[in-house]
Amino acid sequence: MEKSINKSRLFLGSCLALLVTSLTFAMRAKIEEVFGPVSEGGIFGLSKESIGWAFGPAFWGFTVAMVAGGFLIDIVKTKTVVWSAFILHLIGAVAFILAKDKQTLFIANIFIGLGNGCVEAAFNPLIATIYPKNKTTMLNRFHVWFPGGIVIGSLLAYFMMDTMGINWQIYIGVLFVPLAIYGFLFFRQTIPETERVSSGITYKGMLDAIGAPVTLIASMTLMLLLAINIVKLPEGWMYLAVIGAIVAVSALEALVIRKTSMIFPIMFTFMLLTASTELVTTQWVNALLSGAGVSQMLMLALITGIMAVGRFFAGGLVHRLNPVGVLLMSSVFSALGIYALSIVEAPAMVILSSVIFAIGVTYFWPTMLGFVAEYIPKSGALGLSLLGGAGMVSVAMFLPVMGRIMEENNEKVALQSIGALPVILIIGFLILYSVYKNRKPESI
């Protein structure tokens, strides 16, 4: 059976599936201006808060599919989740092309988000399984295709729409190319069981490694309700208070009720902040850099291009600093980059600040996953899914908040607000680094 597994083909297919995911992120960043206010050149006249609401399902749908996939992947098998991603991506791409108002844009993003969530639920544990001795490095290389796809999508937006004036729906149609190829690559392929299953770790052992599964699921549900405006907090700082409450309650469940480690809930909390630092900023890049005197889509291409290159060569850095050291470094650069973007005016300084920001956010997502895969391997596919789901639901929660801050204040204030997140992370990762700097990864 082992000989029938084509690792290279599975890895390439996984990368192209993530490419579809990342193209949707770049496309939303561009389509934001198409659906935006008519006074700013938009066609459909939606407010920034409405666009944030319509984009929300791309993140909370991602979360729902990812978490459900984490719970079910060992029951329904990885192959089922892989093909669910393909079908949902296909429906989402068609719906995206047909969108004409905030409701239809909302529906399109539901399918896209669910498809993207299935990609993360299936392929992160798949790569950890087929490369058990090189998890963080290979997860970084897999996640090259997230910023890599945004580079491709951003450049296509610049040349197809900004330069050549091609219709936005034809631009969205590019999604069908990698979608068809990754469907072909996975056709009739043998896909192995997850590492947890093959190692004999029980379902209870997985939940114990997660520490506070009940609290974390309840927290994600609350953040989902905040994202879709069923629950709404009047002040932006209250969203950080929610994250603080998650830490307190998960500590109670992990340490008092389950009598186990708190490390996974801590990483879950950090993921809320790292993902929002990276993705809320890049999703609003058009608005945040609207007065900077540079092409926003070219700046997005620059930022994500740096991220792609950095992730491809992440192996040496991870081995020198260990995952937590990389995360600490990332937090420092992210904080400096966002702060600089909030105060500079000259185009050259905007570019320099964007480079600093890009270096910072390069390693956040894959290295967070790599840390969990290496140091909390018993958490299995569910651990990776909960972590990724946490990242996406936090972005869905903060996107409308950023839109509201920009409308009530300005882009500079919005950047300074999001800049508080990496400052918190610097403190957290500094403490974590002191604990983990000499620890070796755990094997199962």
Side-chain angles (χ1 to χ4, degrees):
M1 177 66 73
E2 186 66 29
K3 291 182 180 178
S4 67
I5 296 172
N6 188 332
K7 292 184 179 182
S8 297
R9 184 163 175 163
L10 294 181
F11 184 75
L12 179 58
S14 302
C15 292
L16 287 170
L18 189 60
L19 174 60
V20 175
T21 295
S22 60
L23 282 173
T24 66
F25 278 75
M27 288 172 176
R28 276 192 301 273
K30 181 61 179 176
I31 298 308
E32 176 254 316
E33 68 183 43
V34 174
F35 279 82
V38 176
S39 61
E40 297 178 10
I43 298 173
F44 298 102
L46 301 183
S47 69
K48 287 183 172 61
E49 187 168 2
S50 293
I51 294 172
W53 175 82
F55 283 176
F59 299 94
W60 59 253
F62 193 122
T63 303
V64 169
M66 196 169 188
V67 173
F71 275 105
L72 298 175
I73 191 169
D74 294 326
I75 299 171
V76 303
K77 309 301 181 188
T78 305
K79 184 176 183 178
T80 302
V81 185
V82 168
W83 287 108
S84 296
F86 177 83
I87 293 167
L88 289 163
H89 270 159
L90 179 61
I91 296 172
V94 173
F96 205 174
I97 289 173
L98 298 176
K100 62 181 185 299
D101 52 36
K102 74 174 184 178
Q103 288 79 17
T104 52
L105 187 60
F106 182 90
I107 292 168
N109 277 300
I110 289 176
F111 286 102
I112 288 170
L114 292 173
N116 292 348
C118 287
V119 167
E120 289 277 338
F123 299 127
N124 284 320
L126 175 61
I127 288 165
T129 298
I130 62 178
Y131 298 106
K133 298 184 183 302
N134 212 13
K135 295 176 185 177
T136 300
T137 297
M138 294 310 294
L139 282 167
N140 264 284
R141 287 186 181 172
F142 167 55
H143 281 276
V144 162
W145 290 97
F146 188 81
I150 295 178
V151 172
I152 294 169
S154 302
L155 292 176
L156 285 173
Y158 178 76
F159 288 111
M160 291 178 70
M161 294 181 64
D162 295 346
T163 304
M164 302 171 65
I166 293 175
N167 184 280
W168 68 273
Q169 291 161 313
I170 296 175
Y171 168 58
I172 299 298
V174 172
L175 283 173
F176 292 103
V177 177
L179 179 62
I181 297 173
Y182 96 71
F184 169 76
L185 288 172
F186 277 98
F187 187 64
R188 293 186 175 177
Q189 291 300 298
T190 299
I191 299 175
E193 297 275 9
T194 63
E195 184 184 35
R196 179 190 73 82
V197 171
S198 60
S199 301
I201 304 299
T202 65
Y203 209 85
K204 182 180 182 301
M206 179 175 67
L207 294 177
D208 285 342
I210 287 167
V214 175
T215 299
L216 301 186
I217 294 296
S219 301
M220 292 170 74
T221 303
L222 172 60
M223 288 187 285
L224 175 58
L225 296 175
L226 287 165
I228 59 180
N229 277 341
I230 292 177
V231 176
K232 192 167 184 177
L233 300 178
E235 299 291 342
W237 64 266
M238 292 182 180
Y239 290 81
L240 284 177
V242 168
I243 295 175
I246 291 170
V247 177
V249 179
S250 60
L252 182 65
E253 181 183 353
L255 301 177
V256 178
I257 298 175
R258 290 186 174 269
K259 295 180 170 54
T260 187
S261 172
M262 182 64 186
I263 185 58
F264 187 88
I266 289 172
M267 296 307 291
F268 177 95
T269 306
F270 287 164
M271 191 67 168
L272 301 176
L273 305 180
T274 58
S276 292
T277 300
E278 174 188 346
L279 295 175
V280 171
T281 308
T282 53
Q283 281 295 280
W284 277 119
V285 68
N286 258 5
L288 290 170
L289 299 181
S290 60
V294 293
S295 166
Q296 296 99 311
M297 296 312 294
L298 288 182
M299 289 308 302
L300 182 59
L302 172 66
I303 291 168
T304 49
I306 291 169
M307 292 171 65
V309 173
R311 288 180 181 182
F312 186 81
F313 295 104
L317 187 63
V318 170
H319 287 303
R320 281 194 294 272
L321 295 181
N322 93 18
V324 186
V326 173
L327 291 168
L328 176 58
M329 178 204 74
S330 295
S331 303
V332 172
F333 275 88
S334 298
L336 290 173
I338 292 176
Y339 177 72
L341 281 170
S342 74
I343 60 173
V344 299
E345 299 288 346
M349 293 306 297
V350 170
I351 293 171
L352 178 60
S353 302
S354 297
V355 169
I356 295 171
F357 168 75
I359 293 170
V361 298
T362 289
Y363 304 103
F364 271 151
W365 190 283
T367 307
M368 290 290 291
L369 295 174
F371 177 91
V372 168
E374 291 193 359
Y375 290 91
I376 323 173
K378 293 179 182 178
S379 64
L382 180 58
L384 294 176
S385 293
L386 284 176
L387 206 68
M392 284 301 163
V393 78
S394 70
V395 174
M397 180 177 70
F398 280 117
L399 269 178
V401 176
M402 282 286 283
R404 191 195 320 168
I405 292 172
M406 282 188 282
E407 289 180 336
E408 293 177 354
N409 299 278
N410 56 51
E411 289 77 13
K412 300 294 186 185
V413 173
L415 280 165
Q416 289 166 4
S417 298
I418 201 73
L421 304 186
V423 172
I424 296 170
L425 287 167
I426 291 172
I427 299 169
F429 284 132
L430 191 60
I431 296 170
L432 197 65
Y433 182 70
S434 68
V435 176
Y436 275 87
K437 62 181 178 180
N438 295 318
R439 285 197 189 183
K440 299 296 183 184
E442 181 181 337
S443 60
I444 58 174

